[in-house]
Amino acid sequence: MLEVRHLTKIYDDGTQALKDVSFSVPDGEFMVVIGLSGSGKSTMLRCINRLIDPTEGEIIWDGVDLAQLKGDDLRNARRKIGMIFQHFNLVKRSHVLTNVLTGRLGYTSSWNSLLGRFSSQDKEKALVALKRLGILEQAYKRADELSGGQQQRVGVARALMQDPKMILADEPVASLDPVLAHSIMQYLEMLNKEDGMTMICSLHYLDLVQRYSTSVIGLKDGELVYEGGKDDILAMTDEQFKNIYGEEAERVGSGLEGNLQANAGGVA
Amino acid sequence: MTDKNLNLDHIIPEDAREPSLVPAPAAALASLVVPGLGQALTRSVRRGLILFFSFLTVVGLILWRFTLAAPRDTGWWDIFKKGLYLDPFLIVVSFLFAILYLWIAFDAYSLARDRQNTPLGVFVFLAIMFFALGWQIGKINLYSFVTNADEALPALGRVGWPWEKAISYESVIFQAEADIEIPCSETPPAVNVVTDEPTLVSSPTCGILSVQEGEPGSELHLEGYNFSPGIEVNIMWKDPIGNEFRQRQGGKYVIIIPDENGYFETDIIMPYRLLPPSATEPTYIWNVFARQVAERGKAKLSDDFKKIVEKMIETIFIGMMATFFGIIFALPVSFLAARNLMSASWVTLLMYYLVRAILNIIRSIEPIIWAIIAVIVVGLGPFAGILALVLHSIAALGKLYSEAIESIDPGPIEAIQATGANWLQTVIYAVIPQIVPPFVSFTIYRWDINVRMSTIIGLVGGGGIGFLLIQYIRILDYRSAGMCVWFIAITVAILDYVSAEIRARFT
Ligand SMILES: Nc1ncnc2c1ncn2[C@@H]1O[C@H](COP(=O)(O)OP(=O)(O)O)[C@@H](O)[C@H]1O
Ligand SMILES: [Mg+2]
């Protein structure tokens, strides 16, 4: 159970990115964050794993306030929180396998890292993760040789390596075309359903939100403006969605259902 | 000129829409009095000003060149005449100048007649005028390619193909001797038997020496076998106490050239006696011998060649050491010169600007200038060259490195932090992979540049092959100079290739 209470973030330049945001996410939830660009989605996700230090508020996760953690405690907490980025954030010149292995750094000693070593279990785990995401053949390619969809799968594999209990996904499919968007979302859904990982994911497209989320929160100018469950989302019309979301909202496209089924078969 | 159907108002300059202030001949006259004035009077003030100042510049340059050509003359007319006489190209310049003067007037005339007609002819001609002046100032003399060819071509030939000097031969001495008994006894020495070796056969094998102011000595017929064909043979004597001296005949040393079989023959008169008669024993044995110094030994690399190779290696290492120290100093400096790292506070930002400024200043001064300064400080030699190149490398690498640091993608750093990695792990897995490839590539490239520069820096005393090259050129040893040039070219080509290969791996 993640409970965010009165979360506020004011950047050094005075920008107030989050204003007193409170919500809670039960374990195993697939929560989607919607909101215009600039509404504070990235800031909120980065506050949870403390890539950004919140100005005020509590982030209680399994009884621990993440906002107060420092040093090793913070790193140990981070190990259990995977993160997936819009621009994948892979080390482009390193091999795919190396990128995936970096997901294990939280479990690796500095000394071994200095020597560039990972345990053989870790390597095996990395290959299994790559296999699970269908990109085992790419393991020894440089990350920048892969297509966008493949790179995001490497990003998912890296998060998977952490054995996370929760995954933060910051617009994971915003730089992908619709078909790829669905395939990545299906991997996230798989991790959510099969492995029981809590998912907090910011998204742009209403049909993706309706298709994958179990709950939704909406941000606008750093304020929480919407909270809804699965039923609310399915009942939501484009008009309502746009109201919260603004004019940017769009659907991925309806002609894709056929593709989706085929893909879903491939993933399972 | 303009099509009446088109409205060109907006593209015609404002000052061209009104008619001229004065009639055409008046404008021309004005420009004859003050070049450019005519144009101004037609309302083309800017054109007039440009022409006026260009004209003044041309006049100034021409006066300067004339006084330079005839420095001893006073009085404009004398200087003019002498200048034209001493430097015929000034005739061309003067002629063009006259045309320019008239052309400016003509330009004013045609401008006054048609305001919208702004021909570029006068400016094109102005450019030609400057070109002609440049030709004269640069002392360009294509004719010298032809007149100096006789002297230049052999030298260039030696520079182009210098390799004869790369090899020298050990000299080998071929020598054969025959015993001569003085005076003849009943049993003169045996006649030498001809073998495969160089052999000297004398007949007879005894005789008497010449006497000063007296009787000439006996005549000997000498035959030589198995000498080296075509190479000079000296005929020499050795007296009983071991003195060696050369045979003279008619006041000259005897020098014979063997035929293609290595055979020669000659007749000689026995030399003067040098020992006092009182000291003489009844008989002596003197040696007559033939000696040939042939460069026929094993081929070996010449000393010049070895020296050049040594200096080439020295040069490569000067470049390497300079790069090495350049890296060591550039690394910390580059962090200070990286904006993304230094924009945290105004103190660091100030430092950033300061470091940047210093780097730019150092970099803008050519390494050869630094070398001259370094030679003053630490004296001639490789160390001066290394110092000069280190300075320049720090500046150049510092800038390139800092740009690499500035272009680091923060995404992977964030991603790796998010996995729970510590600071060290983040640096190892997110920062280093991003900066090492560009660093390596810049460094290799710099090494390449440094080796090339160290050849130049040698010219001013910074050690290495350049130093040797300039010495060879000064003593007109074009073959050795040529070898230097070849070695530099080969080394640079190899380095170019190697560095390109390495850099290709790292991008
Ligand atoms: N590092 C930063 N410094 C200052 N302001 C920032 C920074 N990052 C984001 N912001 C501002 O905070 C607000 C929220 O941004 P962000 O969290 O990126 O929104 P979203 O992810 O929803 O597009 C925006 O107004 C943005 O300009
Ligand atoms: Mg964002």
Side-chain angles (χ1 to χ4, degrees), chain A residues 88-109:
Chain A
F88 326 135
N89 289 3
L90 303 180
V91 181
K92 294 197 174 57
R93 285 185 173 111
S94 298
H95 286 160
V96 166
L97 188 61
T98 312
N99 269 290
V100 176
L101 280 167
T102 57
R104 283 313 275 181
L105 283 174
Y107 300 90
T108 308
S109 71

Side-chain angles (χ1 to χ4, degrees), chain A residues 46 49 51 75 78-79 81 83 85 89-94 102-103 105-106 108-110 113-114 116-118 142 158 162, chain B residues 409-426 428-430 433-438 505-507:
Chain A
R46 280 168 171 70
N49 68 354
L51 287 177
R75 283 195 290 276
R78 274 180 182 166
R79 291 202 302 209
I81 307 174
M83 188 154 192
F85 301 85
N89 289 3
L90 303 180
V91 181
K92 294 197 174 57
R93 285 185 173 111
S94 298
T102 57
L105 283 174
T108 308
S109 71
S110 293
S113 296
L114 210 55
R117 276 200 309 223
F118 287 99
R142 268 170 54 150
R158 176 173 61 193
Q162 293 171 236
Chain B
D409 177 5
I413 297 175
E414 187 180 42
I416 284 181
Q417 266 174 355
T419 66
N422 59 30
W423 181 85
L424 183 70
Q425 289 170 326
T426 310
I428 293 172
Y429 283 96
Q434 290 196 63
I435 60 175
V436 162
R505 302 266 143 97
F506 275 96
T507 42

Side-chain angles (χ1 to χ4, degrees), chain B residues 226-247:
Chain B
N226 300 325
F227 280 82
S228 211
I231 294 172
E232 291 179 355
V233 175
N234 287 310
I235 303 297
M236 303 178 74
W237 288 87
K238 190 156 82 191
D239 69 20
I241 57 170
N243 291 319
E244 286 185 6
F245 55 93
R246 293 176 73 176
Q247 170 78 33

Side-chain angles (χ1 to χ4, degrees), chain B residues 351-417:
Chain B
M351 203 136 91
Y352 159 82
Y353 282 116
L354 198 71
V355 171
R356 272 273 150 136
I358 294 173
L359 290 187
N360 282 336
I361 291 168
I362 296 178
R363 214 160 38 88
S364 63
I365 297 172
E366 286 294 316
I368 195 153
I369 310 288
W370 285 119
I372 292 168
I373 297 170
V375 164
I376 297 169
V377 178
V378 300
L380 293 176
F383 184 48
I386 291 176
L387 272 186
L389 289 174
V390 165
L391 260 179
H392 205 254
S393 300
I394 293 172
L397 283 178
K399 183 168 154 55
L400 290 173
Y401 286 174
S402 63
E403 274 162 13
I405 294 170
E406 280 171 4
S407 64
I408 284 182
D409 177 5
I413 297 175
E414 187 180 42
I416 284 181
Q417 266 174 355

Side-chain angles (χ1 to χ4, degrees), chain B residues 108-251:
Chain B
Y109 179 83
S110 55
L111 214 58
R113 264 207 330 208
D114 179 3
R115 290 279 298 121
Q116 295 183 2
N117 178 19
T118 53
L120 289 174
V122 67
F123 292 105
V124 172
F125 192 78
L126 203 59
I128 294 173
M129 181 79 238
F130 276 107
F131 181 77
L133 274 165
W135 188 284
Q136 202 273 336
I137 291 169
K139 297 200 184 344
I140 293 175
N141 185 358
L142 296 180
Y143 190 51
S144 64
F145 279 121
V146 182
T147 49
N148 296 350
D150 318 349
E151 287 171 38
L153 284 181
L156 283 181
R158 287 200 282 275
V159 171
W161 193 251
W163 301 114
E164 281 156 50
K165 251 212 119 169
I167 286 171
S168 61
Y169 295 91
E170 280 170 5
S171 52
V172 174
I173 297 172
F174 294 103
Q175 187 168 324
E177 55 179 45
D179 292 345
I180 308 292
E181 187 187 47
I182 301 164
C184 287
S185 70
E186 269 114 62
T187 54
V191 173
N192 284 338
V193 182
V194 177
T195 61
D196 290 346
E197 298 290 305
T199 313
L200 186 66
V201 176
S202 170
S203 48
T205 57
C206 65
I208 52 162
L209 296 168
S210 303
V211 178
Q212 213 88 36
E213 313 284 326
E215 288 288 303
S218 318
E219 190 178 89
L220 300 177
H221 180 68
L222 299 179
E223 284 177 289
Y225 298 90
N226 300 325
F227 280 82
S228 211
I231 294 172
E232 291 179 355
V233 175
N234 287 310
I235 303 297
M236 303 178 74
W237 288 87
K238 190 156 82 191
D239 69 20
I241 57 170
N243 291 319
E244 286 185 6
F245 55 93
R246 293 176 73 176
Q247 170 78 33
R248 284 173 187 266
Q249 200 88 314

Side-chain angles (χ1 to χ4, degrees), chain A residues 88 146-153 175-176 180 184:
Chain A
F88 326 135
L146 269 54
S147 70
Q150 288 173 323
Q151 290 194 33
Q152 191 57 299
R153 286 196 252 173
S175 6
L176 301 176
L180 288 172
I184 294 296

